[in-house]
């Protein structure tokens, strides 16, 4: 009961200070204040509340057995869990990690991104305020190779959960194996296909596909950057999408009118510009954007490419910026093959009014999450994670709890069984 009350109390503290925390998130990350206040922080609160409800519901089973024995299982805490979180959704990813860790009775050492440590540190302060014992939540600020590497290789950490790039995820898995063979879950990069059929609700598909790329200035691992539109409506769709991208409002993230903030830093901006340049050189049709916005900060113009071919760098590499690539397709069988022709498998989406087609395509796609007639719908109850080089294991939902307990089987001899 005490643990439940503390977890509920920390959410009350976040709600009490929500405007301050949202402002801190925007200061750290650059995302529009409205997004921090109305999207990110509510997801944090809902995630913590959801897993607080699981705290007294994680349990084992009694198992019918042969002979004179009584068998049952216990779900015991793993112990000390390491978490390594990214900079694109700093507090939301922090909550996704600590909530199931604590619900299963573990302690945690959280290495937050060096670019965005402030909101996690503030929530650790709130945890102390509401009575969490010292040592239950530990925040480690530092760089990936040193602080993150120390978590991956530490002999007293039994499990690591990482959200970030595929490249770093492979390093963490190797270091974890070389140390104490700690278990690992990885939520990594993506190059998600978004498939739009000509029988969809056009305006709905345009609006959702726009946000699938440009939300959080494209800094989403599940961004629907491989946008495939059926050839019979391709030109009309591209025209609408270009117009929508040109209407985005770039500027001060604290201005209520702004819906497009800066990239996280100059390194990320230069990576985006380099890939945009490769798209132009490889023959994609640049419809709008393609350059830095202004001469202050790290703002990238919302960018749309059309006539993108599957072999181009912009179609195969994760850009992690506001760059949309639109290609055309003819029919279902063609698009299934093309959509699955990637090393990634984090997410996908299908827009169609045909339920038979929706079921067929969603079953065929090799992705951990498939959205139908929507995009970026993430709730604490639903699991999230990838196939292939997008990682393994799941955040959120009941499935996440499986990573944070050890299952112990107890077999007891009994003198007599009445069944």
């Amino acid at each position: 009961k005490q643990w439940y009350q503390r977890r509920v109390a920390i959410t009350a503290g976040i709600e009490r200070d929500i405007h301050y925390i949202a402002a801190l998130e925007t200061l750290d990350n650059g995302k529009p204040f409205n997004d921090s206040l109305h999207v990110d922080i509510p997801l944090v609160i809902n995630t913590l509340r959801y897993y607080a409800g699981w705290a007294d519901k994680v349990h084992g089973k009694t198992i019918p057995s042969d002979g004179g024995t009584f068998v049952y299982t216990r779900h015991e805490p793993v112990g000390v869990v390491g978490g390594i979180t990214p900079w694109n959704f700093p507090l939301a990813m922090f909550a996704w990690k600590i909530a199931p860790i604590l619900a299963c009775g573990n302690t945690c050492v959280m290495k937050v991104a060096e670019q965005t440590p402030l909101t996690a540190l503030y929530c650790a302060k709130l945890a102390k305020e509401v009575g969490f014992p010292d040592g239950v939540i530990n925040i480690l600020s530092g760089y990936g190779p040193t602080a993150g590497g120390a978590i991956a290789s530490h002999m007293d950490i039994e499990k690591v959960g990482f959200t970030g790039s595929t490249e770093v995820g492979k390093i963490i898995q190797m270091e974890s194996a070389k140390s104490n063979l700690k278990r690992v879950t990885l939520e990594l990069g993506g190059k998600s296909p978004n498939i739009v059929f000509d029988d969809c609700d056009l305006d709905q598909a345009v609006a959702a596909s726009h946000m699938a790329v440009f939300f959080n200035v494209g800094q989403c691992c599940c961004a629907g950057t491989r946008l495939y539109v059926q050839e019979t409506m391709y030109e009309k769709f591209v025209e609408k999408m270009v117009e929508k991208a040109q209407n985005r409002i770039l500027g001060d993230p604290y201005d209520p009118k702004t819906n497009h903030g800066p990239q996280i830093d100059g390194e990320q901006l230069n990576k985006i510009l380099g890939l945009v340049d490769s798209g132009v050189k490889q023959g994609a049709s640049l419809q709008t954007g393609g350059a830095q916005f202004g001469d202050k900060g790290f703002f990238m113009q919302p960018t749309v490419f059309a006539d993108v071919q599957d072999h181009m760098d912009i179609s195969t590499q994760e850009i992690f910026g506001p760059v949309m690539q639109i290609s055309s397709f003819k029919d279902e069988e063609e698009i299934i093959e093309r959509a699955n022709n990637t090393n990634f498998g984090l997410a996908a989406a299908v827009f169609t009014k045909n339920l038979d087609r929706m079921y067929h395509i969603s079953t065929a796609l090799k992705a951990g999450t498939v959205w139908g007639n929507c995009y970026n719908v993430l709730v604490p109850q639903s699991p999230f994670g990838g196939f292939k080089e997008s990682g393994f294991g799941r955040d959120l939902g009941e499935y996440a709890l499986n990573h944070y307990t050890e299952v112990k089987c107890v077999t007891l001899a009994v003198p007599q069984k009445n069944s």
Side-chain angles (χ1 to χ4, degrees):
K1 185 177 179 181
Q2 269 191 337
W3 282 107
Y4 172 80
Q5 290 173 337
R6 286 168 182 155
R7 292 185 187 101
V8 171
I10 196 172
T11 64
I14 294 171
E15 286 186 313
R16 180 195 68 198
D17 300 340
I18 190 169
H19 287 85
Y20 178 81
I21 295 171
L24 206 57
E25 192 82 326
T26 293
L27 177 67
D28 237 1
N29 172 275
K31 65 179 64 192
F33 176 76
N34 278 336
D35 287 352
S36 295
L37 182 64
H38 298 299
V39 180
D40 289 33
I41 309 306
L43 178 58
V44 170
I45 292 168
N46 291 339
T47 300
L48 291 171
R49 280 191 174 143
Y50 172 75
Y51 281 106
W54 271 108
D56 59 355
K57 300 173 186 68
V58 179
H59 53 75
K61 302 177 180 179
T62 58
I63 301 172
S65 62
D66 298 332
T69 58
F70 172 67
V71 180
Y72 65 94
T73 59
R74 288 172 47 85
H75 287 218
E76 299 182 351
V78 169
V80 181
V81 178
I84 303 174
T85 57
W87 45 257
N88 56 336
F89 293 95
L91 194 58
M93 295 299 100
F94 175 77
W96 284 23
K97 292 289 185 284
I98 68 161
I101 290 171
L102 298 178
C104 292
N106 302 284
T107 60
C108 61
V109 180
M110 300 297 298
K111 188 275 175 193
V112 293
E114 60 268 25
Q115 299 92 336
T116 54
L118 298 183
T119 48
L121 289 166
Y122 190 83
C123 283
K125 172 179 172 288
L126 289 179
K128 191 173 181 66
E129 178 185 307
V130 301
F132 274 81
D134 291 345
V136 173
I137 300 175
N138 306 278
I139 309 298
L140 183 61
S141 299
Y143 294 101
T146 49
I151 287 176
S153 60
H154 202 289
M155 295 298 292
D156 292 326
I157 292 177
E158 299 295 337
K159 196 268 177 193
V160 171
F162 170 75
T163 297
S165 71
T166 297
E167 177 187 7
V168 175
K170 291 178 178 181
I171 295 171
I172 288 171
Q173 188 172 8
M174 287 190 293
E175 291 301 314
S176 298
K178 285 194 296 186
S179 53
N180 60 342
L181 207 62
K182 58 176 65 66
R183 65 173 72 178
V184 177
T185 52
L186 303 171
E187 195 265 276
L188 307 176
K191 194 70 180 175
S192 301
N194 181 15
I195 303 166
V196 181
F197 286 91
D198 62 5
D199 66 342
C200 71
D201 180 320
L202 177 58
D203 290 336
Q204 178 200 23
V206 168
S209 299
H210 174 84
M211 292 306 294
V213 173
F214 295 113
F215 175 65
N216 207 43
V217 291
Q219 296 173 156
C220 298
C221 52
C222 59
T225 51
R226 287 194 297 146
L227 177 53
Y228 297 102
V229 180
Q230 199 159 23
E231 59 188 17
T232 47
M233 63 179 293
Y234 181 76
E235 291 184 6
K236 186 175 183 180
F237 191 95
V238 171
E239 181 183 340
K240 283 179 170 287
M241 191 57 73
V242 169
E243 181 183 0
K244 201 163 185 66
Q246 291 172 341
N247 287 332
R248 290 189 70 77
I249 301 172
L250 288 75
D252 180 358
Y254 290 103
D255 186 334
K257 297 178 182 177
T258 299
N259 62 13
H260 194 104
Q263 308 308 131
I264 187 68
D265 56 26
E267 180 182 356
Q268 185 63 25
L269 176 63
N270 289 333
K271 175 190 172 185
I272 296 166
L273 290 169
L275 282 164
V276 167
D277 184 56
S278 78
V280 173
K281 289 178 178 177
Q282 291 176 356
S285 175
L286 180 62
Q287 299 288 303
T288 188
Q292 184 173 357
F293 173 81
D295 56 4
K296 293 182 179 179
F298 307 117
F299 291 87
M300 178 70 196
Q301 293 176 351
T303 300
V304 177
F305 279 102
D307 304 328
V308 177
Q309 302 301 309
D310 292 355
H311 68 275
M312 295 177 178
D313 290 345
I314 57 173
S315 187
T316 59
Q317 296 185 31
E318 185 177 33
I319 299 174
F320 226 62
V323 181
M324 174 179 284
Q325 307 100 60
I326 312 179
S327 306
S328 65
F329 72 93
K330 184 177 181 180
D331 56 32
E332 291 183 27
E333 297 313 311
E334 174 199 336
I335 194 54
I336 289 171
E337 181 178 354
R338 291 174 64 189
N340 286 333
N341 186 24
T342 174
N343 292 332
F344 298 108
L346 188 57
V350 184
F351 287 84
T352 178
K353 292 179 180 177
N354 185 324
L355 290 180
D356 289 339
R357 171 184 284 163
M358 179 75 75
Y359 178 78
H360 173 59
I361 301 288
S362 63
T363 302
L365 291 173
K366 304 298 183 185
T369 292
V370 179
W371 287 295
N373 294 325
C374 60
Y375 211 99
N376 280 338
V377 178
L378 296 167
V379 295
Q381 301 91 334
S382 298
F384 184 76
F387 290 9
K388 298 188 277 188
E389 290 192 27
S390 290
F392 47 82
R394 294 293 179 267
D395 288 320
L396 300 182
E398 182 179 357
Y399 288 90
L401 298 166
N402 297 334
H403 307 304
Y404 298 107
T405 64
E406 297 280 11
V407 178
K408 177 184 287 183
C409 180
V410 180
T411 303
L412 306 176
V414 295
Q416 181 179 350
K417 294 176 90 170
N418 293 324
S419 60

